[in-house]
Amino acid sequence: MANAKILWVDDEVELLKAHIMFLKGKEFDVESVSNGVDALEMIQEQAYDVVFLDEQMPGMDGLTVLGEIQRINPNIPVIMITKSEEEQIMEDALGAQITDYLIKPVKPSQILLALKKVLENKRLITERVNSGYQQDFRNIAMQFFEANSHEDWMDIYRKLMFWEGKMEENVDKSMEEVLNHQLAEANTNFGRFVARNYLDWVNSRDLVDRPLLSPDIIPQTVFPHLDGGYDSVFFILVDCLRFDQWKAFEALVAEHFYVDREDAYFSILPTATQYARNAIFSGMMPLEISQRYANYWKNDDEEGGKNLHEADLLAQQLKRNRINAKYSYHKVITPDDGKNLADNIHNLLNNDLNFIVYNFIDLLSHSRTEMNIIKELAPNEAAYRSLSRSWLEYSPLMKALQQLSKKNVKIILTTDHGTIRVKKPVRIIGDRTTTTNLRYKQGKNLNYDEKAKYLFTIRKPEDAMLPKTRVSSTYVFTMEDYFFAYPNNYNYYVNYFRDTFQHGGISLEEQVIPIIELSPKNR
């Protein structure tokens, strides 16, 4: 911060000598001028790090000078100083996007603080974030060994996501590597926790003993709001939305909605669309769907779309639960689908319930695998979050949400599963009927390292409420950031899929996923 160049514009500049001497004593390079015309000439001739600008000056007033400064150099920070406490002047200055606003008489300490906020903000935040994480590091590490419940793991993941978000803008990336290592260690322990408990969860109806799972979502989070006095309840499922992506979305959504509840639930295995999303809309585990509604279910090795009957499964779930409400179901896959939904969102208010599937994040994930330009735009999790946030900000979904923010509605925003960036390959051999997913395999006579601690095997699919395509079918899931690769063309496929976002296996990112309740601010 020392030696930063400051231009102070004030028609009473002679009264500022004490302040200027104070700043020069702090090794700032300070120049002063008594009017806006001279100030603009100086800004055109040389660069300044900060401009202090008096609001009330004869000739060109401060707001007029501010407008000209922004035209010459829109990136220069301007701190406005004024004698007036009139609300309208403050609003005009804030509306003109000043960097800070001080009211005379100002103290040297106020000036110094304003300069630190402008010139050292990122460094100070980085130091504070790194210090905070260092203090919390040991507590989180201890939780790995003490975590005995799904609530414990939700808490651990929330903390890790909190620090990941805080570090995103850090100038110093030294602690980011430590955090990434801790997240990897968390996933190792989480995988073992899921392997120990998963079969008990899916065979229990008692929500006290297990986490909320995919089939529970609509009965537990949607149906209770039918008698809540809302004109309509919207269930919006954004496919493949990770918890950290929701946190990136939150500020945009919070402009228009109160976040009444921010929670998480566990996706069933496999954390793949055909299993998890069908489970959500049917209110059943995959084995139950395949047995009760065989015409709505396709196994991994069968041709055709695996999620073509969500609306039919939803109708059956509503019928079983004796929900007689008027409802709609919409799936958004193309840009035209999204535009049509936003343009006609007001018509949906005539329904008691509206179910919307928005399939963009999953498409982004696949595009990143297949297109180098997307991989360059999103080389890591932070960039992936940023790209996802940019999509939402300018998407038809945001337009639809803005319209709903003026209505008496309740919105449940959630997803079916997340993704993880895979890095480490593991060999597996199977016949041509084996599934192609990189994070799990289903097939017979699978050949892999059965002793590997980063794999979870289910030899009797019915124990996990999963259908099987053959009498001897086995499911095997990767944990942490592993992915399956066949020996044929091994190096080619490893290089192609390494560092891509995949789903289907066991990780915090894939399984611990957001479920958010929103109510409008502007109704």
Side-chain angles (χ1 to χ4, degrees):
M1 187 173 75
N3 299 319
K5 290 193 67 175
I6 299 168
L7 177 62
W8 201 318
V9 188
D10 194 309
D11 64 310
E12 298 177 330
V13 72
E14 69 279 359
L15 301 178
L16 301 174
K17 289 182 179 179
H19 290 74
I20 292 172
M21 291 298 295
F22 170 78
L23 292 177
K24 287 184 176 180
K26 295 288 183 180
E27 299 185 6
F28 289 101
D29 182 359
V30 186
E31 296 181 3
S32 60
V33 65
S34 62
N35 62 81
V37 174
D38 291 343
L40 295 174
E41 287 182 2
M42 294 176 72
I43 289 170
Q44 285 178 316
E45 292 173 359
Q46 57 186 304
Y48 291 94
D49 295 296
V50 182
V51 174
F52 283 110
L53 179 62
D54 185 23
E55 185 268 324
Q56 295 180 344
M57 294 186 296
M60 294 179 71
D61 62 60
L63 287 173
T64 303
V65 176
L66 174 62
E68 290 300 308
I69 291 174
Q70 290 175 334
R71 184 181 60 79
I72 297 167
N73 184 353
N75 298 313
I76 188 170
V78 178
I79 299 172
M80 183 161 281
I81 302 176
T82 180
K83 294 178 181 177
S84 175
E85 296 187 40
E86 290 184 24
E87 184 176 357
Q88 185 60 51
I89 292 176
M90 293 182 186
E91 289 182 355
D92 289 343
L94 292 171
Q97 297 181 312
I98 58 163
T99 306
D100 207 345
Y101 190 95
L102 300 176
I103 297 176
K104 291 182 179 180
V106 291
K107 299 177 181 178
S109 58
Q110 290 176 286
I111 297 293
L112 186 61
L113 177 60
L115 286 171
K116 282 183 176 289
K117 285 165 62 178
V118 172
L119 300 173
E120 295 196 33
N121 189 50
K122 286 190 175 181
R123 181 185 65 79
L124 294 171
I125 290 174
T126 295
E127 290 177 358
R128 179 66 177 173
V129 168
N130 287 350
S131 173
Y133 174 62
Q134 287 172 348
Q135 293 174 26
D136 209 17
F137 174 86
R138 181 174 174 80
N139 296 330
I140 296 172
M142 290 296 293
Q143 279 189 273
F144 293 168
F145 304 103
E146 298 171 354
N148 295 312
S149 69
H150 58 276
E151 291 98 338
D152 292 336
W153 278 106
M154 285 183 180
D155 184 55
I156 288 170
Y157 188 44
R158 282 173 180 271
K159 287 180 179 178
L160 290 169
M161 290 301 95
F162 170 80
W163 288 116
E164 189 172 59
K166 285 288 187 181
M167 287 189 191
E168 196 163 294
E169 299 300 325
N170 272 11
V171 177
D172 176 11
K173 300 295 183 183
S174 60
M175 290 306 295
E176 195 172 275
E177 186 175 345
V178 178
L179 177 63
N180 289 338
H181 179 77
Q182 190 166 51
L183 181 56
E185 188 179 357
N187 263 324
T188 299
N189 288 276
F190 176 74
R192 295 169 185 170
F193 169 75
V194 172
R196 289 195 304 269
N197 294 281
Y198 187 75
L199 297 184
D200 290 335
W201 292 345
V202 297
N203 286 285
S204 172
R205 299 291 181 183
D206 190 350
L207 288 174
V208 175
D209 297 331
R210 64 168 177 82
L212 206 65
L213 298 173
S214 306
D216 307 315
I217 294 307
I218 290 176
Q220 294 294 322
T221 68
V222 177
F223 294 164
H225 292 297
L226 282 172
D227 298 323
Y230 301 102
D231 294 338
S232 187
V233 178
F234 284 77
F235 179 82
I236 302 176
L237 188 152
V238 179
D239 188 26
C240 221
L241 180 69
R242 297 177 5 157
F243 203 96
D244 62 328
Q245 288 171 311
W246 151 247
K247 297 305 290 183
F249 287 0
E250 185 175 11
L252 293 175
V253 175
E255 289 182 23
H256 307 283
F257 293 89
Y258 296 109
V259 179
D260 298 327
R261 175 191 175 205
E262 180 188 84
D263 210 341
Y265 80 96
F266 278 48
S267 171
I268 63 165
L269 297 175
T271 49
T273 305
Q274 71 196 71
Y275 290 90
R277 204 158 77 202
N278 280 327
I280 290 172
F281 284 105
S282 67
M284 293 179 166
M285 292 296 292
L287 178 61
E288 297 172 297
I289 303 171
S290 68
Q291 292 174 338
R292 189 162 180 175
Y293 305 112
N295 55 322
Y296 297 156
W297 179 265
K298 285 187 180 292
N299 287 314
D300 284 315
D301 61 346
E302 295 181 277
E303 296 293 328
K306 307 295 194 293
N307 287 84
L308 300 180
H309 296 285
E310 292 166 2
D312 300 310
L313 292 169
L314 173 62
Q316 293 298 326
Q317 178 174 192
L318 295 174
K319 184 178 179 180
R320 286 197 317 275
N321 285 275
R322 298 180 181 178
I323 303 295
N324 297 316
K326 184 180 178 183
Y327 76 97
S328 71
Y329 168 87
H330 297 270
K331 183 182 288 188
V332 177
I333 298 176
T334 68
D336 284 343
D337 293 338
K339 184 177 184 302
N340 289 336
L341 178 71
D343 290 344
N344 295 286
I345 198 74
H346 59 281
N347 293 328
L348 301 187
L349 295 169
N350 296 320
N351 301 318
D352 302 307
L353 282 169
N354 294 285
F355 298 88
I356 300 169
V357 174
Y358 223 101
N359 193 30
F360 177 81
I361 302 296
D362 189 46
L363 295 176
L364 177 62
S365 173
H366 290 301
S367 297
R368 187 185 177 280
T369 301
E370 298 160 5
M371 300 174 62
N372 286 333
I373 184 66
I374 303 298
K375 189 175 288 189
E376 289 179 16
L377 287 171
N380 53 36
E381 279 79 358
Y384 191 43
R385 286 191 293 272
S386 178
L387 192 59
S388 302
R389 186 187 186 280
S390 294
W391 162 73
L392 177 67
E393 186 171 8
Y394 301 104
S395 71
L397 176 57
M398 194 71 234
K399 180 181 177 182
L401 289 172
Q402 289 170 348
Q403 294 181 69
L404 291 177
S405 72
K406 301 177 178 65
K407 308 298 180 181
N408 179 32
V409 299
K410 167 65 76 171
I411 294 178
I412 311 298
L413 178 66
T414 190
T415 187
D416 45 6
H417 56 76
T419 61
I420 186 169
R421 185 155 57 113
V422 296
K423 299 173 185 175
K424 299 190 285 286
V426 53
R427 293 175 184 267
I428 192 167
I429 299 174
D431 62 24
R432 60 186 181 84
T433 65
T434 303
T435 54
T436 59
N437 189 288
L438 301 185
R439 290 282 288 168
Y440 81 95
K441 297 293 181 184
Q442 181 200 174
K444 63 178 182 177
N445 302 321
L446 297 176
N447 188 343
Y448 59 96
D449 182 3
E450 298 184 21
K451 295 181 180 180
K453 294 182 179 180
Y454 46 79
L455 299 179
F456 175 47
T457 300
I458 297 176
R459 302 192 185 284
K460 294 182 178 179
E462 61 271 22
D463 291 346
M465 301 296 285
L466 292 170
K468 56 185 179 182
T469 57
R470 301 288 186 274
V471 174
S472 58
S473 284
T474 295
Y475 285 80
V476 57
F477 302 89
T478 54
M479 301 179 189
E480 304 170 33
D481 55 1
Y482 285 88
F483 66 100
F484 285 118
Y486 293 118
N488 296 340
N489 295 322
Y490 180 80
N491 290 330
Y492 170 79
Y493 285 107
V494 166
N495 290 330
Y496 183 79
F497 287 111
R498 179 185 277 131
D499 208 38
T500 63
F501 287 91
Q502 303 292 333
H503 56 82
I506 300 171
S507 68
L508 289 160
E509 292 91 333
E510 290 164 289
Q511 276 197 281
V512 182
I513 48 180
I515 184 158
I516 313 299
E517 290 186 10
L518 306 170
S519 59
K521 284 184 175 181
N522 304 317
R523 69 172 184 267

